[in-house]
Amino acid sequence: MALTIDVARIAETWEHGAHAAIEVQVHAVMRDASGATVFDGELMDVTAGDVRVECEAETPPTTTETPEPPTSSSESPEPPTP
């Protein structure tokens, strides 16, 4: 049996996005005891980790307002009662 394994790493970027993946293809040639080919074809064709990202152009920055902490009063708290 003879196996051919091809692995392709895909990494593409463009102005507002990206794509990454790993493609694995396995091809086999199988022969019987007399040497005659009994199979010649693809065993596996898999894409793993296929990730695509699209980003908006000119995304405006976001702001988060943090509320001011309460001001302390001039009165002192009452002590806890036993």
Side-chain angles (χ1 to χ4, degrees):
M1 177 167 68
L3 290 176
T4 303
I5 302 171
D6 293 318
V7 178
R9 291 178 180 88
I10 299 169
E12 304 170 303
T13 59
W14 50 92
E15 188 175 352
H16 300 292
H19 172 229
I22 297 175
E23 293 180 346
V24 180
Q25 298 172 332
V26 179
H27 182 92
V29 177
M30 298 178 190
R31 305 184 190 288
D32 64 12
S34 69
T37 300
V38 294
F39 179 82
D40 184 351
E42 190 175 279
L43 291 180
M44 180 175 72
D45 187 357
V46 176
T47 300
D50 192 0
V51 178
R52 296 172 191 270
V53 177
E54 294 287 334
C55 301
E56 290 183 25
E58 300 294 324
T59 304
T62 59
T63 57
T64 305
E65 292 186 25
T66 306
E68 295 273 335
T71 57
S72 61
S73 69
S74 58
E75 298 178 23
S76 59
E78 294 184 25
T81 55

